Amino acid sequence: MSDTMNPTEQSLTGERADLLESLRRARHFLTFTVRDLDDEQAGRRATESELCPGGLIKHVTSVERSWAEFIVKGTSAMPDFTTFAEEDFARRADDFRMLPGDTLDGVLAEYAKVAERTDELVASLPDLDVSHPLPKAPWFEANASWSARRTLLHIIAETAQHAGHADILREHIDGAKSMG
């Protein structure tokens, strides 16, 4: 994932440019944490949780893809989390780990594709105020709606939060860190 602006981002100004710049920086710090790691290191757990650097990128990729679809299609793009069984949550947990056959290069390539589609959506969306009801989930307020703008802010926050998680995991693996 490049640290430079893509052509879509370069042609934007104002709010959309600011949103994409914030997202680009969060993505940069997330992907920077895995620089020079091999596949085994990218899948290494440093805590009792399932979190690993490569798995965090897989998770952020999945989250960004889902929320971008939500902006376009609304609630139909998301599952009803109130109906999830233990097996459903176990499947979702695979987003947080490197599975057999996963490679760091493959994970990063998929993230770059999703990022490009999101960037194009931000540039082409007619109105950032378009709003959809949130999917049913115990962690969302009932009957709440999010605008495209609010959803993009959520993607930025999620990416930045997980960049911090990845930085801690990376420091545990080999002492490298993103800043400082």
Coordinates of all heavy atoms in Angstrom, one line a residue, residues 15-16 19 71-72 121-132 146-152:
E15 N -14.0 18.4 2.2 CA -14.3 17.3 3.1 C -13.9 15.9 2.6 O -13.3 15.1 3.3 CB -15.8 17.3 3.4 CG -16.2 16.2 4.4 CD -17.7 16.2 4.6 OE1 -18.5 16.8 3.8 OE2 -18.1 15.7 5.7
R16 N -14.1 15.7 1.3 CA -13.8 14.3 0.8 C -12.3 14.1 0.8 O -11.8 13.0 1.1 CB -14.4 14.2 -0.6 CG -15.9 14.0 -0.6 CD -16.4 14.1 -2.0 NE -17.8 14.4 -2.0 CZ -18.8 13.4 -2.2 NH1 -18.4 12.2 -2.4 NH2 -20.0 13.8 -2.2
L19 N -11.3 13.4 4.4 CA -11.6 12.0 4.8 C -10.7 11.0 4.2 O -10.2 10.1 4.9 CB -13.1 11.7 4.3 CG -14.2 12.4 5.1 CD1 -15.5 12.2 4.3 CD2 -14.3 11.8 6.5
I71 N -22.6 1.6 2.8 CA -22.9 3.0 2.3 C -23.7 2.9 1.0 O -24.6 3.7 0.8 CB -21.5 3.7 2.0 CG1 -20.8 4.1 3.4 CG2 -21.7 5.0 1.2 CD1 -19.4 4.6 3.2
V72 N -23.4 1.9 0.2 CA -24.1 1.8 -1.1 C -25.4 1.1 -1.0 O -26.4 1.5 -1.5 CB -23.2 1.0 -2.1 CG1 -23.9 0.7 -3.4 CG2 -21.9 1.7 -2.3
L121 N -15.3 5.1 -4.1 CA -16.7 5.4 -3.6 C -16.7 6.8 -3.0 O -17.7 7.6 -3.3 CB -17.1 4.3 -2.5 CG -18.4 4.6 -1.8 CD1 -19.6 4.5 -2.8 CD2 -18.5 3.5 -0.7
V122 N -15.8 7.1 -2.2 CA -15.7 8.5 -1.6 C -15.7 9.6 -2.6 O -16.4 10.6 -2.5 CB -14.5 8.6 -0.6 CG1 -14.4 10.1 -0.1 CG2 -14.6 7.7 0.6
A123 N -15.0 9.4 -3.7 CA -14.9 10.4 -4.8 C -16.2 10.5 -5.6 O -16.5 11.5 -6.0 CB -13.7 10.0 -5.7
S124 N -16.9 9.3 -5.7 CA -18.0 9.3 -6.6 C -19.4 9.4 -6.0 O -20.4 9.7 -6.6 CB -18.0 8.1 -7.5 OG -18.2 6.9 -6.7
L125 N -19.4 9.3 -4.7 CA -20.7 9.3 -4.0 C -21.4 10.6 -4.1 O -20.8 11.7 -3.8 CB -20.5 9.0 -2.5 CG -21.7 8.5 -1.7 CD1 -22.2 7.2 -2.2 CD2 -21.3 8.4 -0.2
P126 N -22.6 10.7 -4.6 CA -23.3 12.0 -4.8 C -23.5 12.8 -3.6 O -23.4 14.0 -3.6 CB -24.6 11.6 -5.4 CG -24.5 10.2 -5.9 CD -23.4 9.5 -5.1
D127 N -23.7 12.1 -2.4 CA -24.0 12.9 -1.2 C -23.5 12.1 0.0 O -23.9 10.9 0.2 CB -25.5 13.0 -1.2 CG -26.0 13.9 0.0 OD1 -25.2 14.4 0.8 OD2 -27.3 14.0 0.1
L128 N -22.7 12.8 0.8 CA -22.2 12.1 2.0 C -23.2 12.1 3.1 O -23.0 11.4 4.1 CB -20.9 12.9 2.5 CG -19.7 12.8 1.7 CD1 -18.6 13.6 2.2 CD2 -19.2 11.3 1.5
D129 N -24.4 12.7 2.9 CA -25.4 12.7 3.9 C -26.4 11.5 3.7 O -27.2 11.3 4.6 CB -26.3 14.0 3.8 CG -25.5 15.2 4.4 OD1 -24.7 15.0 5.3 OD2 -25.6 16.3 3.8
V130 N -26.2 10.7 2.6 CA -27.1 9.6 2.4 C -27.0 8.7 3.7 O -25.9 8.5 4.2 CB -26.8 8.8 1.1 CG1 -25.4 8.2 1.2 CG2 -27.8 7.7 0.9
S131 N -28.1 8.2 4.2 CA -28.1 7.6 5.5 C -28.9 6.3 5.4 O -29.9 6.1 4.6 CB -28.8 8.5 6.5 OG -28.7 8.0 7.8
H132 N -28.5 5.3 6.2 CA -29.1 4.0 6.3 C -29.3 3.6 7.7 O -28.4 3.9 8.5 CB -28.3 2.9 5.5 CG -28.1 3.2 4.1 ND1 -29.1 3.1 3.2 CD2 -27.0 3.5 3.4 CE1 -28.6 3.4 2.0 NE2 -27.3 3.6 2.1
W146 N -26.8 5.7 10.2 CA -25.5 6.4 9.9 C -25.5 6.9 8.5 O -25.9 6.3 7.6 CB -24.3 5.5 10.1 CG -23.9 5.2 11.5 CD1 -24.4 5.7 12.7 CD2 -22.8 4.4 11.9 NE1 -23.8 5.3 13.8 CE2 -22.7 4.5 13.3 CE3 -21.9 3.6 11.2 CZ2 -21.8 3.8 14.1 CZ3 -20.9 3.0 12.0 CH2 -20.9 3.0 13.4
S147 N -25.0 8.1 8.4 CA -24.8 8.7 7.1 C -23.5 8.1 6.5 O -22.7 7.4 7.2 CB -24.6 10.2 7.2 OG -23.4 10.5 7.9
A148 N -23.3 8.3 5.2 CA -22.1 7.8 4.5 C -20.9 8.5 5.2 O -19.8 7.8 5.5 CB -22.1 8.2 3.1
R149 N -21.0 9.8 5.6 CA -19.9 10.5 6.3 C -19.6 9.8 7.6 O -18.4 9.5 7.9 CB -20.3 11.9 6.5 CG -19.4 12.7 7.3 CD -19.9 14.2 7.6 NE -20.2 14.9 6.4 CZ -21.4 15.0 5.8 NH1 -22.5 14.5 6.4 NH2 -21.6 15.7 4.7
R150 N -20.6 9.5 8.4 CA -20.4 8.8 9.7 C -19.8 7.5 9.5 O -18.9 7.0 10.3 CB -21.7 8.8 10.5 CG -21.7 8.0 11.7 CD -20.8 8.7 12.8 NE -20.7 7.9 14.0 CZ -19.7 7.0 14.2 NH1 -18.8 6.8 13.2 NH2 -19.6 6.3 15.3
T151 N -20.2 6.8 8.5 CA -19.7 5.4 8.2 C -18.2 5.5 7.9 O -17.4 4.7 8.3 CB -20.5 4.7 7.1 OG1 -21.9 4.7 7.5 CG2 -20.0 3.3 6.9
L152 N -17.8 6.5 7.1 CA -16.4 6.7 6.7 C -15.6 7.1 7.9 O -14.5 6.6 8.1 CB -16.3 7.8 5.6 CG -16.8 7.3 4.2 CD1 -17.0 8.6 3.3 CD2 -15.9 6.3 3.6

